[in-house]
């Protein structure tokens, strides 16, 4: 092989292949383009409807009640809202709406609502009665919970709780009748179990319960009698407890006081 041929082969081996460099460059350009597009998309916004002023429950919305603001296109689903005022004008408010609230589809309806809706979205079942109940001694409570209601009878009247329970169950009352020489002991009575919580006003420490008209009447009757009422937070998936359950200090049993709560009965 001649010296000239050897030199040509050496130069050929040293000549770099341009394809890898071209591919790398092309990849960098594509990455840069997508980065710019993603940045522009993330910074884009779209119109959503808010309340320009307070709108009471049941009122028909007008264009003056609404305003439009721009929110980022990519935002949480809870902030999806309504895109145009025309989709809400003429609709009825399903609850009290406050100025600057983001208007959501659940806040409006085509027809005037027949039942009021609480701020948390809960509605009263037709035929039921909302009853305010103090939560001062109950502790944290939400509308996902249930409430047991009871009262204390400091006079130990046998015809207020135990007599009614015994008559319903066909049993002899466990306390002595008023003519008995034995003193009557004060007791607590669980009146209702698993009442539905419609709404909790944390600031006022009041829960609005959904009760039947008769149950509501019974609560007012107990208040009229001056009997102290009490409540127990009770989870919605727990079993219903016996109503008209009477207990005084002379009825305590060690076995029941120390018995573990079964998993099915635990307050989850």
């Amino acid at each position: 092989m001649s010296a000239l041929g050897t030199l040509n082969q050496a130069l050929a081996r040293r000549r770099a292949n341009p394809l890898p460099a071209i591919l790398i460059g092309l990849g960098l350009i594509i990455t840069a383009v997508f980065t710019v597009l993603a940045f522009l998309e993330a910074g884009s916004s779209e119109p959503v409807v808010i309340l320009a002023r307070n709108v009471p429950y049941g009122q028909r919305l007008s264009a003056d009640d609404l305003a439009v603001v721009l929110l980022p296109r990519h935002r949480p689903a809870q902030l999806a809202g309504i895109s145009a005022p025309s989709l809400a004008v003429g609709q009825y408010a399903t609850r009290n709406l406050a100025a600057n609230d983001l208007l959501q589809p659940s806040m409006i309806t085509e027809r005037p609502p027949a039942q009021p809706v609480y701020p948390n979205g809960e509605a009263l079942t037709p035929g039921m009665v909302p009853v305010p109940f103090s939560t001062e001694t109950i502790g944290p409570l939400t509308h996902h919970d249930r409430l047991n209601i009871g009262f204390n009878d400091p006079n130990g009247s046998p015809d207020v709780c135990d007599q009614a329970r015994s008559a319903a169950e066909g049993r002899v009352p466990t306390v002595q009748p008023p003519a008995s020489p034995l003193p009557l002991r004060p007791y607590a009575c669980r009146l209702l179990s698993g009442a539905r919580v419609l709404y909790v006003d944390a600031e006022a420490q009041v829960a609005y319960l959904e009760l039947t008209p008769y149950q509501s009447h019974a609560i007012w009757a107990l208040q009229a009698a001056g009997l102290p009422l009490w409540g127990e937070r009770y989870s919605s998936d727990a079993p219903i407890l016996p109503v008209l359950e009477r207990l005084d200090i002379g009825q305590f049993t060690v076995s029941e006081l120390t018995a573990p709560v079964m998993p099915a009965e635990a307050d989850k």
Side-chain angles (χ1 to χ4, degrees):
M1 181 179 296
S2 65
L4 180 60
T6 303
L7 178 60
N8 289 335
Q9 290 180 359
L11 291 176
R13 286 196 297 268
R14 291 178 183 178
R15 187 177 300 135
N17 185 357
L19 183 59
I22 294 174
L23 293 177
I24 292 175
L26 184 60
L28 292 175
I29 293 173
I30 294 175
T31 301
V33 170
F34 276 103
T35 300
V36 172
L37 292 177
F39 177 78
L40 294 176
E41 181 67 15
S44 64
S45 59
E46 61 183 2
V48 291
V49 179
I50 65 170
L51 275 301
R53 58 190 179 188
N54 294 340
V55 176
Y57 160 79
Q59 178 173 303
R60 195 173 189 181
L61 275 71
S62 67
D64 294 335
D65 297 322
L66 308 173
V68 176
V69 297
L70 295 178
L71 289 181
R73 186 180 302 274
H74 298 283
R75 59 185 184 273
Q78 297 85 345
L79 301 178
I82 296 176
S83 60
S86 59
L87 300 176
V89 172
Q91 304 282 312
Y92 295 87
T94 59
R95 67 189 76 173
N96 291 331
L97 307 179
N100 299 321
D101 279 353
L102 181 68
L103 191 62
Q104 300 282 7
S106 61
M107 297 179 178
I108 55 177
T109 181
E110 293 182 359
R111 298 180 180 180
Q115 290 286 347
V117 177
Y118 289 88
N120 58 353
E122 294 294 313
L124 182 69
T125 303
M128 303 294 280
V129 177
V131 176
F133 195 89
S134 174
T135 62
E136 187 174 357
T137 59
I138 298 174
L141 188 72
T142 73
H143 68 277
H144 300 293
D145 298 318
R146 294 293 186 266
L147 200 68
N148 300 332
I149 303 175
F151 64 88
N152 297 333
D153 181 10
N155 297 319
S157 302
D159 58 345
V160 176
C161 179
D162 188 74
Q163 193 84 357
R165 182 195 65 177
S166 301
E169 298 178 355
R171 299 186 296 99
V172 177
T174 58
V175 297
Q176 299 293 328
S180 171
L182 298 177
L184 298 176
R185 289 189 294 261
Y187 63 87
C189 178
R190 178 178 287 113
L191 181 69
L192 299 173
S193 176
R196 179 190 174 203
V197 179
L198 288 168
Y199 175 67
V200 179
D201 188 336
E203 184 176 350
Q205 294 187 312
V206 171
Y208 292 89
L209 309 180
E210 182 179 81
L211 303 178
T212 67
Y214 189 88
Q215 292 170 340
S216 172
H217 206 164
I219 295 297
W220 299 123
L222 289 168
Q223 292 185 348
L227 296 175
L229 294 172
W230 47 267
E232 301 169 323
R233 176 191 170 275
Y234 202 62
S235 61
S236 59
D237 55 356
I240 299 298
L241 298 175
V243 297
L244 292 174
E245 186 75 6
R246 179 191 185 281
L247 186 66
D248 64 46
I249 59 174
Q251 295 174 309
F252 293 168
T253 63
V254 175
S255 60
E256 290 187 89
L257 283 175
T258 58
V261 178
M262 302 302 293
E265 300 178 356
D267 189 4
K268 302 178 181 177

